[in-house]
Amino acid sequence: DRVSKNKPSLQNQLRIVWPTVDEIRNSVEGYYGGGSVCGKKKNVSLEFLQPLYRRWSNVAYDPLQTARHVPHIKSFVQPSHDGRSIEWLCLTSHNLSIAAWGQVQRRSKNLPPDEKILFVRHWELGVFFSADTLARSDGNKVRIVPLADYEQDSNGAICLDNDDDEGDDDVIRVPLPYSLNTPAYAADDNPWTDDPVFYPQRDAYG
């Protein structure tokens, strides 16, 4: 119909940063680290998801040195149109499931036909912020951008307080653990699943 023809494709609206089998294999924990990335093959391998996947690691952009560390973070990010800043970000414990996000349904026959409820099986906790919620007290808006660089103290700890930001009060830097333009899967990449599967390639631990 006319509506579906004018609607942007899902691939142009959504990207899913999800580690590949090789990224888990080459991580500092090897295959064992994949236990923190929960996803069953029957769900992760759905055909419509394949064009949406993006790699977790990016050798060209790794300011926080997360490329070889297995993620468990759940974050939802809306990049700006030019891909250089962030419109909003949600850091949360929600995974991609109906149990976590809920489902609109009619749970009782006593409810009127046009009344429904949002049924959430697993309550989660998250933090949402945007340029509007972080606006300065004088009303000026701010820009949220990924942290592109960092300093380290004498103990090697990452310091997010960069002196170069002095006088740049309108910019808030977020230590995003992946790039806003993380690369798409290669032809031989496969999404990681935590099913009990034997992988012939050895990890760092044999």
Side-chain angles (χ1 to χ4, degrees):
D1 56 27
R2 183 178 301 176
V3 175
S4 61
K5 289 181 180 180
N6 296 330
K7 186 177 180 180
S9 67
L10 185 60
Q11 187 174 353
N12 292 330
Q13 300 181 79
L14 179 66
R15 296 177 180 178
I16 301 176
V17 178
W18 189 270
T20 67
V21 172
D22 280 344
E23 287 178 306
I24 297 296
R25 179 174 64 86
N26 295 321
S27 70
V28 294
E29 297 178 273
Y31 289 125
Y32 182 79
S36 66
V37 183
C38 304
K40 299 301 180 185
K41 185 175 182 179
K42 66 177 183 178
N43 299 324
V44 175
S45 299
L46 291 173
E47 184 176 355
F48 81 95
L49 293 176
Q50 307 312 304
L52 309 180
Y53 285 131
R54 296 296 184 271
R55 293 177 63 90
W56 163 257
S57 62
N58 186 349
V59 294
Y61 178 89
D62 190 23
L64 299 180
Q65 302 178 17
T66 60
R68 295 189 62 236
H69 294 271
V70 179
H72 186 63
I73 189 174
K74 288 97 171 177
S75 57
F76 300 83
V77 181
Q78 174 62 61
S80 61
H81 292 295
D82 61 8
R84 300 176 60 185
S85 59
I86 298 171
E87 294 186 6
W88 57 260
L89 185 147
C90 182
L91 179 64
T92 178
S93 60
H94 294 73
N95 56 20
L96 293 176
S97 68
I98 293 177
W101 288 97
Q103 183 180 43
V104 176
Q105 54 186 237
R106 186 164 176 250
R107 294 280 295 175
S108 174
K109 295 181 179 179
N110 297 325
L111 289 175
D114 58 342
E115 285 193 24
K116 297 181 180 180
I117 63 172
L118 175 64
F119 178 70
V120 180
R121 188 176 300 276
H122 298 157
W123 287 95
E124 308 286 344
L125 181 65
V127 178
F128 174 92
F129 59 89
S130 66
D132 291 332
T133 61
L134 297 176
R136 292 170 47 182
S137 58
D138 58 9
N140 290 338
K141 289 189 175 182
V142 299
R143 289 179 63 243
I144 305 174
V145 299
L147 181 72
D149 199 3
Y150 63 87
E151 296 179 353
Q152 290 180 295
D153 62 20
S154 58
N155 296 319
I158 293 176
C159 177
L160 302 183
D161 186 12
N162 194 324
D163 292 337
D164 293 340
D165 294 340
E166 290 185 1
D168 198 3
D169 296 333
D170 295 333
V171 175
I172 295 177
R173 305 190 186 280
V174 177
L176 201 65
Y178 46 81
S179 169
L180 287 179
N181 300 298
T182 186
Y185 276 22
D188 57 347
D189 281 337
N190 293 300
W192 169 258
T193 68
D194 63 349
D195 296 272
V197 177
F198 172 76
Y199 294 103
Q201 296 87 355
R202 295 183 177 183
D203 61 13
Y205 301 96

